[in-house]
Amino acid sequence: LTGNIKKTMNIHKQLFGAGFWIPAMRPPTVPDNMARLRITLCALHHSDQLEALLTTLLKSLRSEHLL
């Protein structure tokens, strides 16, 4: 949950550019000021994939000053 549409879209684009499909949920799909990223995991994901996602996500969140 980022709450900010622009930041959510920036993070989505950074993740997509790194090879991750993490949809950005924003109004009207979610209420105003409730923009978010929807991360879906399954048992077929490997630990190295999860580690790469978390590393990229942290970098993206920091670049948007959300961490």
Side-chain angles (χ1 to χ4, degrees), residues 12-23 48-54 56-57:
H12 162 74
K13 289 175 186 176
Q14 290 176 41
L15 291 169
F16 186 76
F20 299 103
W21 177 247
I22 306 294
D48 57 330
Q49 293 171 311
L50 298 177
E51 187 173 331
L53 170 60
L54 291 175
T56 306
L57 181 58

Side-chain angles (χ1 to χ4, degrees), residues 25-59:
M25 310 303 291
R26 55 204 188 277
T29 305
V30 296
D32 289 339
N33 301 313
M34 298 292 283
R36 64 193 71 198
L37 298 166
R38 178 167 288 164
I39 299 172
T40 304
L41 303 174
C42 74
L44 298 177
H45 286 109
H46 299 278
S47 60
D48 57 330
Q49 293 171 311
L50 298 177
E51 187 173 331
L53 170 60
L54 291 175
T55 299
T56 306
L57 181 58
L58 285 171
K59 181 179 176 184

